[in-house]
Amino acid sequence: MTDHELATKLKELAEAPAPPPRLDLDRARRGGGRRRRLRTTALVVGCAAVVTAGGLTAVSALRPTPPITPAAVLPKPPPVAAVPTDNPLVAKASFGWLPEPIKGVEYGVGGHGDYALAIGRGDLAPMIWLAVYDQEPPLDRRHDMGGRAVRVPVRVGDRDGYWVTVDAKDPLNQGNSYLRWPTADGRWAELNAYYLALPDLQQILLRVAGEVTFANRAVPLPLHISGLPAAFRVADVNLWRRPESDGVPWRAVLQYSSNGALATITVSLPGGQADGLGKPVCTTKSGLKACVAIDHPQAAGITSQELLDRITLLGPDEKKWTTHVIG
């Protein structure tokens, strides 16, 4: 091909229309725009996430971290003091303030219950019984309310207690009054008052309850016993103050069971009567009278005279009585 022919072919090719393109530019543009928008969005979102995280980090770094509040721990009730082993008469609670008609306080433990009793004088002596229970007692504890017992809430010191009565409009229950409240160590206390007629009696009983103290306390007694047979078990121990019925200002009565036998020790001022079963053996020393009665000496393993010989009387002055009775 000559130079002239080559020039002519190139001119014709340049002037001819171009073939249709294999790439759809409009579609490619739309797709490219979409991918660009996705990349841009992703970039923006990523940047925002970085900025947000950075902002949180910066704020967290600048803001002081509050201290972690420990979980609330409920206070544990204080432990109950151990019961003395050398005194058979241990009170779980003690009165503080008492109203004027009350003249003395009795104590008792054993089969007839553990109690402190604030008592007055006379044939119908006013009485305020104080008892402590390991658990809240049944509402009608003595089964003398005919199934009609109800609670009347009341504040006792710093605790929520209640009256027990057959009529919610009469918290004092016609003069046979019951007041209960929980103690700090998780037990329950109860006052039962009767033959007590005073103005504002509700407030008086609430004051009595509010000033009760709870702790095991050995009650001083007017005797010391050098030792008891190993088989002796406390049945009932009482310190009574009922001069109208006993003829003496007070009596201390200690009863023990042993192999089915009952041994009773009674200490009082001269003139007091001996308690218990069996023929009593008595002595008077140091201004006091002591008697011992054992209904079955062979089962008890000791005679009345032998047990009496182990007793030392401490005299009528209560300041000289002892809390260390046995041993």
Side-chain angles (χ1 to χ4, degrees):
M1 179 183 294
T2 63
D3 293 340
H4 177 72
E5 290 173 339
L6 179 58
T8 301
K9 291 292 185 181
L10 290 174
K11 182 179 179 181
E12 291 175 354
L13 181 61
E15 293 177 352
R22 295 181 180 179
L23 177 62
D24 187 341
L25 294 180
D26 291 335
R27 181 178 179 183
R29 188 179 295 112
R30 290 192 301 268
R34 180 175 179 274
R35 285 193 295 271
R36 184 170 60 249
R37 286 193 299 273
L38 289 174
R39 285 198 303 271
T40 303
T41 303
L43 179 61
V44 171
V45 172
C47 291
V50 172
V51 171
T52 303
L56 289 174
T57 303
V59 171
S60 299
L62 294 175
R63 181 185 300 165
T65 303
I68 298 175
T69 303
V73 178
L74 296 177
K76 293 182 179 180
V80 178
V83 177
T85 58
D86 58 354
N87 190 325
L89 184 56
V90 177
K92 296 179 180 180
S94 301
F95 289 106
W97 178 85
L98 288 166
E100 179 60 30
I102 300 301
K103 301 301 181 182
V105 178
E106 300 182 351
Y107 296 94
V109 301
H112 293 90
D114 298 1
Y115 64 87
L117 170 60
I119 188 170
R121 296 288 182 264
D123 293 336
L124 297 178
M127 297 184 181
I128 306 175
W129 296 80
L130 169 62
V132 180
Y133 302 93
D134 291 336
Q135 298 178 341
E136 183 178 6
L139 195 59
D140 186 4
R141 177 178 60 80
R142 298 181 61 185
H143 307 288
D144 59 359
M145 295 188 181
R148 296 179 295 141
V150 295
R151 291 179 177 86
V152 179
V154 68
R155 193 74 172 166
V156 181
D158 61 350
R159 299 192 172 272
D160 291 324
Y162 56 88
W163 303 96
V164 182
T165 178
V166 297
D167 182 359
K169 296 179 181 179
D170 177 21
L172 294 176
N173 194 43
Q174 299 180 5
N176 185 15
S177 308
Y178 292 88
L179 176 61
R180 289 184 191 159
W181 69 101
T183 69
D185 59 18
R187 297 179 294 174
W188 279 81
E190 179 186 88
L191 291 185
N192 176 208
Y194 50 86
Y195 302 145
L196 186 63
L198 292 170
D200 299 321
L201 184 55
Q202 288 189 49
Q203 295 305 314
I204 287 174
L205 292 178
L206 287 171
R207 181 178 176 184
V208 171
E211 297 195 25
V212 168
T213 56
F214 298 95
N216 288 325
R217 183 179 68 85
V219 177
L221 291 174
L223 75 164
H224 178 265
I225 306 172
S226 59
L228 291 172
F232 270 39
R233 298 290 181 268
V234 171
D236 276 293
V237 179
N238 298 274
L239 178 59
W240 283 319
R241 299 183 185 275
R242 306 190 186 190
E244 288 81 8
S245 59
D246 292 341
V248 288
W250 55 264
R251 283 195 310 147
V253 180
L254 291 70
Q255 289 190 320
Y256 292 88
S257 63
S258 176
N259 298 315
L262 184 67
T264 304
I265 302 170
T266 306
V267 178
S268 70
L269 291 172
Q273 298 298 312
D275 272 42
L277 303 176
K279 184 178 180 180
V281 177
C282 302
T283 187
T284 300
K285 293 180 180 179
S286 303
L288 296 179
K289 176 183 176 181
C291 295
V292 174
I294 301 177
D295 59 351
H296 299 289
Q298 187 173 0
I302 192 171
T303 66
S304 297
Q305 185 63 54
E306 289 171 337
L307 181 54
L308 183 63
D309 291 342
R310 300 185 183 188
I311 296 174
T312 300
L313 298 175
L314 304 179
D317 185 355
E318 297 192 22
K319 295 179 180 177
K320 296 181 179 180
W321 293 3
T322 184
T323 57
H324 304 289
V325 178
I326 310 297

